[in-house]
């Protein structure tokens, strides 16, 4: 596969590790990097290796050591890949979420010098932990907008950040009127 070819040529030599193919290992590395990039964590660790991406034979009783070896190799390959992705001088390709993760690792302060006094975060129900972390560190008035019933990006690491804010006691104002459609269209759905 193209993914395994990239890793074989440019990062690490993916070998047959206790029955995991190069393609399976490359997919596991990509999923691990994706999980890492969605978090506020500064380093890649075991929590980023998604168990649902580990081939089933490694989850069978008696295969604990093979699973541990696969996870260790995945972490090494993921770190080697991340080091290349994070290097601005390296032409290694990066993922879409890499930009935001790299930005977050700089511990950005977009509110310094009074440049921004207010931040409005729309679709906050679909924010992932890395974005939540960036905004939580900003010294500005924050306005969170969203609908917790419309969360659709949990598969990309999104947490219902809007619900977390409301649960934490932040004052919430609710819209009771829809501005998305005419009343005569939406009336039958009420």
């Amino acid at each position: 596969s193209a993914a395994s070819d990239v890793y074989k040529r440019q990062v690490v030599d993916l070998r047959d590790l206790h029955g995991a193919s190069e393609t399976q290992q490359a997919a596991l590395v990509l999923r691990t990097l994706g999980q890492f990039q969605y978090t506020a964590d500064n380093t890649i660790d075991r929590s980023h290796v998604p168990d649902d991406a580990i081939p089933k034979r490694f989850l069978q009783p008696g295969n604990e050591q093979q699973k541990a070896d696969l996870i260790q190799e995945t972490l090494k390959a993921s770190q080697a890949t991340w080091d290349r992705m994070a290097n601005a001088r390296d032409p290694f390709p990066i993922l879409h979420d890499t930009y935001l993760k790299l930005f977050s690792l700089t511990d950005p302060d977009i509110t310094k010098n009074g440049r921004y006094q207010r931040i409005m975060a729309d679709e906050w129900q679909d924010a992932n932990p890395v974005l939540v972390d960036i905004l939580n560190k900003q010294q500005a008035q924050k306005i969170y907008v969203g609908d917790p019933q419309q969360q659709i990006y949990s598969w990309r690491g999104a947490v219902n950040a809007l619900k977390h804010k409301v649960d934490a006691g932040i004052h919430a104002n609710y819209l009771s009127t829809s501005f998305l459609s005419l009343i005569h269209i939406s009336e039958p759905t009420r």
Side-chain angles (χ1 to χ4, degrees):
S1 80
S4 64
D5 288 346
V6 167
Y7 287 104
K8 283 192 296 190
R9 279 186 285 112
Q10 298 188 21
V11 182
V12 293
D13 182 21
L14 292 179
R15 63 193 191 291
D16 184 33
L17 182 67
H18 303 290
S21 70
E22 292 171 343
T23 301
Q24 288 172 321
Q25 289 181 66
L28 191 53
V29 167
L30 284 172
R31 291 275 311 273
T32 300
L33 287 168
Q35 292 297 111
F36 168 63
Q37 290 181 107
Y38 300 148
T39 69
D41 300 336
N42 292 326
T43 57
I44 300 171
D45 62 37
R46 170 60 180 100
S47 69
H48 303 117
V49 181
D51 284 331
D52 68 341
I54 295 173
K56 290 184 182 179
R57 69 179 151 280
F58 291 91
L59 304 176
Q60 301 298 322
N63 290 341
E64 292 82 9
Q65 187 58 53
Q66 290 88 348
K67 177 183 173 187
D69 291 346
L70 177 65
I71 289 169
Q72 195 59 35
E73 288 298 316
T74 298
L75 289 170
K76 283 177 22 184
S78 297
Q79 187 62 57
T81 304
W82 176 251
D83 290 345
R84 294 205 56 197
M85 292 169 71
N87 181 348
R89 290 179 169 44
D90 194 321
F92 190 80
I94 63 175
L95 304 170
H96 174 72
D97 294 302
T98 305
Y99 301 107
L100 185 61
K101 184 64 175 185
L102 289 172
F103 179 67
S104 77
L105 291 172
T106 68
D107 205 19
D109 181 0
I110 63 173
T111 60
K112 70 179 171 187
N113 301 326
R115 184 170 178 196
Y116 298 102
Q117 297 173 3
R118 288 172 205 80
I119 299 172
M120 186 178 100
D122 197 8
E123 301 294 341
W124 199 242
Q125 78 277 359
D126 280 322
N128 61 21
V130 71
L131 188 56
V132 170
D133 185 60
I134 291 170
L135 246 60
N136 283 344
K137 292 177 179 176
Q138 305 309 309
Q139 300 299 313
Q141 179 185 21
K142 297 168 193 120
I143 303 165
Y144 303 98
V145 179
D147 181 348
Q149 301 302 314
Q150 294 187 25
Q151 182 186 11
I152 59 173
Y153 287 105
S154 59
W155 61 274
R156 292 193 65 246
V159 294
N160 195 335
L162 190 64
K163 183 178 182 326
H164 293 305
K165 291 293 181 189
V166 172
D167 289 350
I170 289 181
H171 178 72
N173 291 315
Y174 299 93
L175 291 176
S176 58
T177 305
S178 172
F179 299 98
L180 297 176
S181 64
L182 301 173
I183 292 176
H184 72 275
I185 294 173
S186 62
E187 192 61 41
T189 64
R190 292 183 185 201

